[in-house]
PDB file of all heavy atoms in Angstrom:
ATOM      1  N   GLY A   1      72.514 120.634 104.502  1.00 94.00           N
ATOM      2  CA  GLY A   1      73.054 120.204 105.820  1.00 94.00           C
ATOM      3  C   GLY A   1      72.710 121.035 106.998  1.00 94.00           C
ATOM      4  O   GLY A   1      72.845 120.642 108.136  1.00 94.00           O
ATOM      5  N   GLY A   2      72.290 122.291 106.779  1.00 95.00           N
ATOM      6  CA  GLY A   2      72.021 123.184 107.843  1.00 95.00           C
ATOM      7  C   GLY A   2      71.192 124.381 107.390  1.00 95.00           C
ATOM      8  O   GLY A   2      71.243 124.735 106.198  1.00 95.00           O
ATOM      9  N   LEU A   3      70.444 124.954 108.352  1.00 97.00           N
ATOM     10  CA  LEU A   3      69.542 126.098 108.065  1.00 97.00           C
ATOM     11  C   LEU A   3      69.598 127.137 109.058  1.00 97.00           C
ATOM     12  O   LEU A   3      69.669 126.809 110.284  1.00 97.00           O
ATOM     13  CB  LEU A   3      68.068 125.587 107.909  1.00 97.00           C
ATOM     14  CG  LEU A   3      67.760 124.577 106.822  1.00 97.00           C
ATOM     15  CD1 LEU A   3      66.327 123.981 107.080  1.00 97.00           C
ATOM     16  CD2 LEU A   3      67.858 125.205 105.456  1.00 97.00           C
ATOM     17  N   THR A   4      69.664 128.413 108.660  1.00 96.00           N
ATOM     18  CA  THR A   4      69.673 129.497 109.615  1.00 96.00           C
ATOM     19  C   THR A   4      68.885 130.680 109.005  1.00 96.00           C
ATOM     20  O   THR A   4      68.953 130.904 107.807  1.00 96.00           O
ATOM     21  CB  THR A   4      71.142 130.012 109.844  1.00 96.00           C
ATOM     22  OG1 THR A   4      71.956 128.929 110.317  1.00 96.00           O
ATOM     23  CG2 THR A   4      71.196 131.200 110.818  1.00 96.00           C
ATOM     24  N   GLU A   5      68.101 131.416 109.818  1.00 97.00           N
ATOM     25  CA  GLU A   5      67.294 132.491 109.337  1.00 97.00           C
ATOM     26  C   GLU A   5      67.955 133.842 109.822  1.00 97.00           C
ATOM     27  O   GLU A   5      68.351 133.928 110.981  1.00 97.00           O
ATOM     28  CB  GLU A   5      65.835 132.435 109.860  1.00 97.00           C
ATOM     29  CG  GLU A   5      64.965 133.544 109.351  1.00 97.00           C
ATOM     30  CD  GLU A   5      63.541 133.421 109.887  1.00 97.00           C
ATOM     31  OE1 GLU A   5      63.375 132.892 110.988  1.00 97.00           O
ATOM     32  OE2 GLU A   5      62.621 133.946 109.215  1.00 97.00           O
ATOM     33  N   ASP A   6      68.086 134.786 108.940  1.00 96.00           N
ATOM     34  CA  ASP A   6      68.648 136.061 109.279  1.00 96.00           C
ATOM     35  C   ASP A   6      67.563 137.050 109.714  1.00 96.00           C
ATOM     36  O   ASP A   6      66.341 136.747 109.606  1.00 96.00           O
ATOM     37  CB  ASP A   6      69.556 136.646 108.165  1.00 96.00           C
ATOM     38  CG  ASP A   6      68.802 136.999 106.882  1.00 96.00           C
ATOM     39  OD1 ASP A   6      67.631 137.415 107.005  1.00 96.00           O
ATOM     40  OD2 ASP A   6      69.432 136.859 105.804  1.00 96.00           O
ATOM     41  N   GLU A   7      67.961 138.245 110.148  1.00 94.00           N
ATOM     42  CA  GLU A   7      66.940 139.166 110.689  1.00 94.00           C
ATOM     43  C   GLU A   7      65.987 139.736 109.614  1.00 94.00           C
ATOM     44  O   GLU A   7      64.907 140.286 109.956  1.00 94.00           O
ATOM     45  CB  GLU A   7      67.654 140.380 111.369  1.00 94.00           C
ATOM     46  CG  GLU A   7      68.348 141.323 110.480  1.00 94.00           C
ATOM     47  CD  GLU A   7      68.741 142.593 111.246  1.00 94.00           C
ATOM     48  OE1 GLU A   7      68.317 142.797 112.397  1.00 94.00           O
ATOM     49  OE2 GLU A   7      69.376 143.474 110.629  1.00 94.00           O
ATOM     50  N   LEU A   8      66.334 139.609 108.347  1.00 94.00           N
ATOM     51  CA  LEU A   8      65.476 140.052 107.274  1.00 94.00           C
ATOM     52  C   LEU A   8      64.488 138.951 106.796  1.00 94.00           C
ATOM     53  O   LEU A   8      63.724 139.134 105.868  1.00 94.00           O
ATOM     54  CB  LEU A   8      66.302 140.534 106.055  1.00 94.00           C
ATOM     55  CG  LEU A   8      67.299 141.699 106.369  1.00 94.00           C
ATOM     56  CD1 LEU A   8      68.017 142.112 105.164  1.00 94.00           C
ATOM     57  CD2 LEU A   8      66.546 142.905 106.999  1.00 94.00           C
ATOM     58  N   GLY A   9      64.628 137.766 107.391  1.00 95.00           N
ATOM     59  CA  GLY A   9      63.762 136.669 107.001  1.00 95.00           C
ATOM     60  C   GLY A   9      64.404 135.767 105.951  1.00 95.00           C
ATOM     61  O   GLY A   9      63.729 134.839 105.462  1.00 95.00           O
ATOM     62  N   GLY A  10      65.611 136.069 105.519  1.00 96.00           N
ATOM     63  CA  GLY A  10      66.282 135.262 104.538  1.00 96.00           C
ATOM     64  C   GLY A  10      66.752 133.929 105.157  1.00 96.00           C
ATOM     65  O   GLY A  10      67.100 133.842 106.381  1.00 96.00           O
ATOM     66  N   LEU A  11      66.714 132.894 104.385  1.00 97.00           N
ATOM     67  CA  LEU A  11      67.074 131.546 104.859  1.00 97.00           C
ATOM     68  C   LEU A  11      68.414 131.157 104.260  1.00 97.00           C
ATOM     69  O   LEU A  11      68.597 131.125 103.085  1.00 97.00           O
ATOM     70  CB  LEU A  11      66.052 130.522 104.366  1.00 97.00           C
ATOM     71  CG  LEU A  11      65.975 129.197 105.037  1.00 97.00           C
ATOM     72  CD1 LEU A  11      65.618 129.338 106.538  1.00 97.00           C
ATOM     73  CD2 LEU A  11      64.951 128.279 104.416  1.00 97.00           C
ATOM     74  N   TRP A  12      69.362 130.871 105.178  1.00 97.00           N
ATOM     75  CA  TRP A  12      70.730 130.501 104.779  1.00 97.00           C
ATOM     76  C   TRP A  12      70.879 128.991 104.843  1.00 97.00           C
ATOM     77  O   TRP A  12      70.489 128.328 105.744  1.00 97.00           O
ATOM     78  CB  TRP A  12      71.767 131.160 105.721  1.00 97.00           C
ATOM     79  CG  TRP A  12      71.807 132.632 105.556  1.00 97.00           C
ATOM     80  CD1 TRP A  12      70.939 133.543 106.087  1.00 97.00           C
ATOM     81  CD2 TRP A  12      72.776 133.348 104.748  1.00 97.00           C
ATOM     82  NE1 TRP A  12      71.297 134.802 105.691  1.00 97.00           N
ATOM     83  CE2 TRP A  12      72.404 134.734 104.843  1.00 97.00           C
ATOM     84  CE3 TRP A  12      73.909 132.960 104.015  1.00 97.00           C
ATOM     85  CZ2 TRP A  12      73.157 135.711 104.205  1.00 97.00           C
ATOM     86  CZ3 TRP A  12      74.576 133.944 103.348  1.00 97.00           C
ATOM     87  CH2 TRP A  12      74.193 135.324 103.440  1.00 97.00           C
ATOM     88  N   ILE A  13      71.434 128.472 103.716  1.00 96.00           N
ATOM     89  CA  ILE A  13      71.421 127.018 103.498  1.00 96.00           C
ATOM     90  C   ILE A  13      72.809 126.514 103.327  1.00 96.00           C
ATOM     91  O   ILE A  13      73.539 126.961 102.430  1.00 96.00           O
ATOM     92  CB  ILE A  13      70.566 126.695 102.183  1.00 96.00           C
ATOM     93  CG1 ILE A  13      69.108 127.220 102.380  1.00 96.00           C
ATOM     94  CG2 ILE A  13      70.558 125.225 101.929  1.00 96.00           C
ATOM     95  CD1 ILE A  13      68.450 127.543 101.053  1.00 96.00           C
ATOM     96  N   GLN A  14      73.194 125.573 104.204  1.00 94.00           N
ATOM     97  CA  GLN A  14      74.527 124.955 104.084  1.00 94.00           C
ATOM     98  C   GLN A  14      74.378 123.824 103.067  1.00 94.00           C
ATOM     99  O   GLN A  14      73.658 122.831 103.321  1.00 94.00           O
ATOM    100  CB  GLN A  14      74.974 124.420 105.396  1.00 94.00           C
ATOM    101  CG  GLN A  14      75.227 125.497 106.473  1.00 94.00           C
ATOM    102  CD  GLN A  14      75.567 124.914 107.829  1.00 94.00           C
ATOM    103  OE1 GLN A  14      74.929 125.380 108.781  1.00 94.00           O
ATOM    104  NE2 GLN A  14      76.395 123.910 107.917  1.00 94.00           N
ATOM    105  N   LEU A  15      75.132 123.922 102.001  1.00 91.00           N
ATOM    106  CA  LEU A  15      75.107 122.894 100.935  1.00 91.00           C
ATOM    107  C   LEU A  15      76.233 121.861 101.184  1.00 91.00           C
ATOM    108  O   LEU A  15      77.101 122.045 102.020  1.00 91.00           O
ATOM    109  CB  LEU A  15      75.263 123.519  99.570  1.00 91.00           C
ATOM    110  CG  LEU A  15      74.109 124.563  99.229  1.00 91.00           C
ATOM    111  CD1 LEU A  15      74.377 125.293  97.881  1.00 91.00           C
ATOM    112  CD2 LEU A  15      72.834 123.889  99.168  1.00 91.00           C
ATOM    113  N   GLY A  16      76.173 120.791 100.364  1.00 78.00           N
ATOM    114  CA  GLY A  16      77.105 119.727 100.653  1.00 78.00           C
ATOM    115  C   GLY A  16      78.555 119.942 100.299  1.00 78.00           C
ATOM    116  O   GLY A  16      79.428 119.480 101.000  1.00 78.00           O
ATOM    117  N   ALA A  17      78.825 120.701  99.281  1.00 72.00           N
ATOM    118  CA  ALA A  17      80.209 120.825  98.841  1.00 72.00           C
ATOM    119  C   ALA A  17      80.514 122.250  98.318  1.00 72.00           C
ATOM    120  O   ALA A  17      80.120 122.612  97.275  1.00 72.00           O
ATOM    121  CB  ALA A  17      80.489 119.833  97.674  1.00 72.00           C
ATOM    122  N   GLY A  18      81.212 123.006  99.235  1.00 59.00           N
ATOM    123  CA  GLY A  18      81.784 124.242  98.726  1.00 59.00           C
ATOM    124  C   GLY A  18      80.918 125.434  98.600  1.00 59.00           C
ATOM    125  O   GLY A  18      81.297 126.369  98.076  1.00 59.00           O
ATOM    126  N   GLY A  19      79.758 125.419  99.181  1.00 84.00           N
ATOM    127  CA  GLY A  19      78.853 126.566  98.955  1.00 84.00           C
ATOM    128  C   GLY A  19      77.834 126.800 100.039  1.00 84.00           C
ATOM    129  O   GLY A  19      77.486 125.892 100.821  1.00 84.00           O
ATOM    130  N   VAL A  20      77.243 127.979  99.935  1.00 94.00           N
ATOM    131  CA  VAL A  20      76.196 128.416 100.806  1.00 94.00           C
ATOM    132  C   VAL A  20      75.161 129.130  99.959  1.00 94.00           C
ATOM    133  O   VAL A  20      75.548 129.913  98.999  1.00 94.00           O
ATOM    134  CB  VAL A  20      76.629 129.349 101.928  1.00 94.00           C
ATOM    135  CG1 VAL A  20      75.481 129.989 102.695  1.00 94.00           C
ATOM    136  CG2 VAL A  20      77.516 128.679 102.905  1.00 94.00           C
ATOM    137  N   ASP A  21      73.849 128.965 100.207  1.00 95.00           N
ATOM    138  CA  ASP A  21      72.857 129.763  99.480  1.00 95.00           C
ATOM    139  C   ASP A  21      72.056 130.562 100.491  1.00 95.00           C
ATOM    140  O   ASP A  21      71.902 130.191 101.734  1.00 95.00           O
ATOM    141  CB  ASP A  21      71.832 128.806  98.819  1.00 95.00           C
ATOM    142  CG  ASP A  21      72.320 128.323  97.446  1.00 95.00           C
ATOM    143  OD1 ASP A  21      73.464 128.689  97.050  1.00 95.00           O
ATOM    144  OD2 ASP A  21      71.605 127.616  96.768  1.00 95.00           O
ATOM    145  N   ARG A  22      71.552 131.706 100.029  1.00 96.00           N
ATOM    146  CA  ARG A  22      70.522 132.444 100.812  1.00 96.00           C
ATOM    147  C   ARG A  22      69.250 132.529  99.992  1.00 96.00           C
ATOM    148  O   ARG A  22      69.282 132.900  98.854  1.00 96.00           O
ATOM    149  CB  ARG A  22      71.026 133.867 101.046  1.00 96.00           C
ATOM    150  CG  ARG A  22      69.981 134.670 101.862  1.00 96.00           C
ATOM    151  CD  ARG A  22      70.485 136.136 102.117  1.00 96.00           C
ATOM    152  NE  ARG A  22      69.615 136.861 103.022  1.00 96.00           N
ATOM    153  CZ  ARG A  22      68.573 137.647 102.606  1.00 96.00           C
ATOM    154  NH1 ARG A  22      68.253 137.712 101.272  1.00 96.00           N
ATOM    155  NH2 ARG A  22      67.815 138.267 103.463  1.00 96.00           N
ATOM    156  N   TYR A  23      68.164 132.053 100.626  1.00 97.00           N
ATOM    157  CA  TYR A  23      66.838 132.058  99.917  1.00 97.00           C
ATOM    158  C   TYR A  23      66.043 133.213 100.358  1.00 97.00           C
ATOM    159  O   TYR A  23      65.907 133.460 101.615  1.00 97.00           O
ATOM    160  CB  TYR A  23      66.101 130.790 100.208  1.00 97.00           C
ATOM    161  CG  TYR A  23      64.786 130.691  99.590  1.00 97.00           C
ATOM    162  CD1 TYR A  23      64.585 130.652  98.204  1.00 97.00           C
ATOM    163  CD2 TYR A  23      63.584 130.647 100.418  1.00 97.00           C
ATOM    164  CE1 TYR A  23      63.331 130.579  97.650  1.00 97.00           C
ATOM    165  CE2 TYR A  23      62.369 130.615  99.820  1.00 97.00           C
ATOM    166  CZ  TYR A  23      62.232 130.463  98.465  1.00 97.00           C
ATOM    167  OH  TYR A  23      60.978 130.428  97.933  1.00 97.00           O
ATOM    168  N   ASP A  24      65.612 134.041  99.399  1.00 95.00           N
ATOM    169  CA  ASP A  24      64.700 135.158  99.727  1.00 95.00           C
ATOM    170  C   ASP A  24      63.265 134.702  99.489  1.00 95.00           C
ATOM    171  O   ASP A  24      62.803 134.535  98.406  1.00 95.00           O
ATOM    172  CB  ASP A  24      65.060 136.336  98.722  1.00 95.00           C
ATOM    173  CG  ASP A  24      64.209 137.592  98.939  1.00 95.00           C
ATOM    174  OD1 ASP A  24      63.108 137.479  99.532  1.00 95.00           O
ATOM    175  OD2 ASP A  24      64.702 138.682  98.616  1.00 95.00           O
ATOM    176  N   PRO A  25      62.515 134.549 100.605  1.00 93.00           N
ATOM    177  CA  PRO A  25      61.158 133.987 100.481  1.00 93.00           C
ATOM    178  C   PRO A  25      60.182 134.935  99.808  1.00 93.00           C
ATOM    179  O   PRO A  25      59.136 134.474  99.341  1.00 93.00           O
ATOM    180  CB  PRO A  25      60.748 133.685 101.947  1.00 93.00           C
ATOM    181  CG  PRO A  25      61.572 134.609 102.735  1.00 93.00           C
ATOM    182  CD  PRO A  25      62.879 134.808 101.997  1.00 93.00           C
ATOM    183  N   GLU A  26      60.491 136.264  99.809  1.00 93.00           N
ATOM    184  CA  GLU A  26      59.570 137.212  99.081  1.00 93.00           C
ATOM    185  C   GLU A  26      59.734 137.108  97.609  1.00 93.00           C
ATOM    186  O   GLU A  26      58.723 137.092  96.889  1.00 93.00           O
ATOM    187  CB  GLU A  26      59.822 138.587  99.665  1.00 93.00           C
ATOM    188  CG  GLU A  26      59.626 138.792 101.142  1.00 93.00           C
ATOM    189  CD  GLU A  26      58.130 138.591 101.522  1.00 93.00           C
ATOM    190  OE1 GLU A  26      57.273 138.844 100.722  1.00 93.00           O
ATOM    191  OE2 GLU A  26      57.905 138.117 102.654  1.00 93.00           O
ATOM    192  N   ARG A  27      61.030 137.149  97.166  1.00 94.00           N
ATOM    193  CA  ARG A  27      61.243 137.073  95.727  1.00 94.00           C
ATOM    194  C   ARG A  27      61.355 135.610  95.206  1.00 94.00           C
ATOM    195  O   ARG A  27      61.366 135.372  94.003  1.00 94.00           O
ATOM    196  CB  ARG A  27      62.542 137.780  95.411  1.00 94.00           C
ATOM    197  CG  ARG A  27      62.552 139.259  95.876  1.00 94.00           C
ATOM    198  CD  ARG A  27      63.902 139.860  95.866  1.00 94.00           C
ATOM    199  NE  ARG A  27      64.524 139.859  94.541  1.00 94.00           N
ATOM    200  CZ  ARG A  27      65.855 139.917  94.357  1.00 94.00           C
ATOM    201  NH1 ARG A  27      66.685 139.991  95.400  1.00 94.00           N
ATOM    202  NH2 ARG A  27      66.293 139.920  93.126  1.00 94.00           N
ATOM    203  N   GLU A  28      61.493 134.625  96.120  1.00 94.00           N
ATOM    204  CA  GLU A  28      61.616 133.244  95.828  1.00 94.00           C
ATOM    205  C   GLU A  28      62.797 132.974  94.908  1.00 94.00           C
ATOM    206  O   GLU A  28      62.633 132.233  93.908  1.00 94.00           O
ATOM    207  CB  GLU A  28      60.245 132.708  95.200  1.00 94.00           C
ATOM    208  CG  GLU A  28      59.092 132.810  96.146  1.00 94.00           C
ATOM    209  CD  GLU A  28      57.870 131.985  95.680  1.00 94.00           C
ATOM    210  OE1 GLU A  28      57.817 131.760  94.463  1.00 94.00           O
ATOM    211  OE2 GLU A  28      57.048 131.606  96.495  1.00 94.00           O
ATOM    212  N   ILE A  29      63.909 133.492  95.209  1.00 95.00           N
ATOM    213  CA  ILE A  29      65.134 133.291  94.477  1.00 95.00           C
ATOM    214  C   ILE A  29      66.282 132.905  95.498  1.00 95.00           C
ATOM    215  O   ILE A  29      66.199 133.350  96.665  1.00 95.00           O
ATOM    216  CB  ILE A  29      65.561 134.401  93.600  1.00 95.00           C
ATOM    217  CG1 ILE A  29      65.866 135.669  94.435  1.00 95.00           C
ATOM    218  CG2 ILE A  29      64.505 134.646  92.523  1.00 95.00           C
ATOM    219  CD1 ILE A  29      66.463 136.762  93.561  1.00 95.00           C
ATOM    220  N   PHE A  30      67.287 132.218  94.990  1.00 96.00           N
ATOM    221  CA  PHE A  30      68.441 131.859  95.777  1.00 96.00           C
ATOM    222  C   PHE A  30      69.670 132.703  95.329  1.00 96.00           C
ATOM    223  O   PHE A  30      69.879 132.891  94.091  1.00 96.00           O
ATOM    224  CB  PHE A  30      68.744 130.386  95.617  1.00 96.00           C
ATOM    225  CG  PHE A  30      67.779 129.426  96.206  1.00 96.00           C
ATOM    226  CD1 PHE A  30      66.584 129.063  95.501  1.00 96.00           C
ATOM    227  CD2 PHE A  30      68.000 128.874  97.499  1.00 96.00           C
ATOM    228  CE1 PHE A  30      65.704 128.222  96.095  1.00 96.00           C
ATOM    229  CE2 PHE A  30      67.076 128.014  98.022  1.00 96.00           C
ATOM    230  CZ  PHE A  30      65.903 127.681  97.311  1.00 96.00           C
ATOM    231  N   THR A  31      70.441 133.129  96.272  1.00 94.00           N
ATOM    232  CA  THR A  31      71.784 133.764  95.950  1.00 94.00           C
ATOM    233  C   THR A  31      72.835 132.732  96.378  1.00 94.00           C
ATOM    234  O   THR A  31      72.788 132.187  97.440  1.00 94.00           O
ATOM    235  CB  THR A  31      71.972 135.081  96.767  1.00 94.00           C
ATOM    236  OG1 THR A  31      70.904 135.943  96.374  1.00 94.00           O
ATOM    237  CG2 THR A  31      73.302 135.689  96.424  1.00 94.00           C
ATOM    238  N   HIS A  32      73.827 132.513  95.455  1.00 92.00           N
ATOM    239  CA  HIS A  32      74.834 131.539  95.669  1.00 92.00           C
ATOM    240  C   HIS A  32      76.100 132.217  96.171  1.00 92.00           C
ATOM    241  O   HIS A  32      76.476 133.308  95.668  1.00 92.00           O
ATOM    242  CB  HIS A  32      75.084 130.767  94.393  1.00 92.00           C
ATOM    243  CG  HIS A  32      73.871 130.244  93.760  1.00 92.00           C
ATOM    244  ND1 HIS A  32      73.007 129.369  94.364  1.00 92.00           N
ATOM    245  CD2 HIS A  32      73.374 130.397  92.503  1.00 92.00           C
ATOM    246  CE1 HIS A  32      72.017 129.115  93.552  1.00 92.00           C
ATOM    247  NE2 HIS A  32      72.256 129.663  92.358  1.00 92.00           N
ATOM    248  N   TYR A  33      76.749 131.570  97.133  1.00 90.00           N
ATOM    249  CA  TYR A  33      78.080 132.039  97.633  1.00 90.00           C
ATOM    250  C   TYR A  33      79.038 130.902  97.517  1.00 90.00           C
ATOM    251  O   TYR A  33      78.929 129.843  98.133  1.00 90.00           O
ATOM    252  CB  TYR A  33      77.972 132.444  99.097  1.00 90.00           C
ATOM    253  CG  TYR A  33      76.960 133.557  99.366  1.00 90.00           C
ATOM    254  CD1 TYR A  33      75.656 133.234  99.545  1.00 90.00           C
ATOM    255  CD2 TYR A  33      77.399 134.880  99.375  1.00 90.00           C
ATOM    256  CE1 TYR A  33      74.712 134.268  99.796  1.00 90.00           C
ATOM    257  CE2 TYR A  33      76.468 135.874  99.604  1.00 90.00           C
ATOM    258  CZ  TYR A  33      75.129 135.556  99.848  1.00 90.00           C
ATOM    259  OH  TYR A  33      74.217 136.565 100.056  1.00 90.00           O
ATOM    260  N   SER A  34      80.051 131.109  96.617  1.00 83.00           N
ATOM    261  CA  SER A  34      81.115 130.059  96.460  1.00 83.00           C
ATOM    262  C   SER A  34      82.286 130.463  97.319  1.00 83.00           C
ATOM    263  O   SER A  34      82.911 131.499  97.151  1.00 83.00           O
ATOM    264  CB  SER A  34      81.549 129.945  94.980  1.00 83.00           C
ATOM    265  OG  SER A  34      82.558 129.001  94.864  1.00 83.00           O
ATOM    266  N   LEU A  35      82.586 129.632  98.294  1.00 85.00           N
ATOM    267  CA  LEU A  35      83.637 129.950  99.291  1.00 85.00           C
ATOM    268  C   LEU A  35      85.002 129.368  98.937  1.00 85.00           C
ATOM    269  O   LEU A  35      85.977 129.706  99.549  1.00 85.00           O
ATOM    270  CB  LEU A  35      83.220 129.491 100.650  1.00 85.00           C
ATOM    271  CG  LEU A  35      81.827 129.926 101.168  1.00 85.00           C
ATOM    272  CD1 LEU A  35      81.543 129.351 102.553  1.00 85.00           C
ATOM    273  CD2 LEU A  35      81.671 131.419 101.148  1.00 85.00           C
ATOM    274  N   THR A  36      84.994 128.452  97.938  1.00 82.00           N
ATOM    275  CA  THR A  36      86.267 127.736  97.712  1.00 82.00           C
ATOM    276  C   THR A  36      87.155 128.487  96.787  1.00 82.00           C
ATOM    277  O   THR A  36      86.748 128.900  95.657  1.00 82.00           O
ATOM    278  CB  THR A  36      85.859 126.376  96.979  1.00 82.00           C
ATOM    279  OG1 THR A  36      84.943 125.664  97.864  1.00 82.00           O
ATOM    280  CG2 THR A  36      87.086 125.547  96.799  1.00 82.00           C
ATOM    281  N   PRO A  37      88.423 128.733  97.181  1.00 78.00           N
ATOM    282  CA  PRO A  37      89.369 129.431  96.283  1.00 78.00           C
ATOM    283  C   PRO A  37      89.675 128.595  95.081  1.00 78.00           C
ATOM    284  O   PRO A  37      89.583 127.339  95.139  1.00 78.00           O
ATOM    285  CB  PRO A  37      90.612 129.554  97.201  1.00 78.00           C
ATOM    286  CG  PRO A  37      90.143 129.437  98.577  1.00 78.00           C
ATOM    287  CD  PRO A  37      88.958 128.471  98.492  1.00 78.00           C
ATOM    288  N   PRO A  38      90.087 129.154  93.955  1.00 80.00           N
ATOM    289  CA  PRO A  38      90.424 128.409  92.782  1.00 80.00           C
ATOM    290  C   PRO A  38      91.523 127.377  92.998  1.00 80.00           C
ATOM    291  O   PRO A  38      92.525 127.716  93.680  1.00 80.00           O
ATOM    292  CB  PRO A  38      90.939 129.479  91.813  1.00 80.00           C
ATOM    293  CG  PRO A  38      90.288 130.762  92.269  1.00 80.00           C
ATOM    294  CD  PRO A  38      90.229 130.657  93.754  1.00 80.00           C
ATOM    295  N   GLY A  39      91.300 126.223  92.637  1.00 80.00           N
ATOM    296  CA  GLY A  39      92.287 125.119  92.739  1.00 80.00           C
ATOM    297  C   GLY A  39      92.289 124.422  94.085  1.00 80.00           C
ATOM    298  O   GLY A  39      93.044 123.476  94.315  1.00 80.00           O
ATOM    299  N   ALA A  40      91.419 124.859  95.042  1.00 79.00           N
ATOM    300  CA  ALA A  40      91.402 124.286  96.374  1.00 79.00           C
ATOM    301  C   ALA A  40      90.341 123.250  96.443  1.00 79.00           C
ATOM    302  O   ALA A  40      89.425 123.175  95.665  1.00 79.00           O
ATOM    303  CB  ALA A  40      91.226 125.382  97.419  1.00 79.00           C
TER     304      ALA A  40
END
């Protein structure tokens, strides 16, 4: 749903439900961030 680039060249990705990813274009891997508290 959305894209933002940080100063290191990482790509931040707004996902549809409950999460954000950061894509490292050099290593070609995604880091996942789960923002939703348990049970919420």
Side-chain angles (χ1 to χ4, degrees):
L3 298 169
T4 303
E5 186 180 23
D6 65 34
E7 71 164 357
L8 302 181
L11 196 64
W12 291 80
I13 301 155
Q14 295 172 227
L15 299 174
V20 171
D21 278 2
R22 180 182 186 269
Y23 178 65
D24 183 334
E26 299 297 329
R27 301 165 62 200
E28 297 192 338
I29 62 172
F30 291 83
T31 300
H32 310 304
Y33 301 86
S34 180
L35 309 179
T36 305

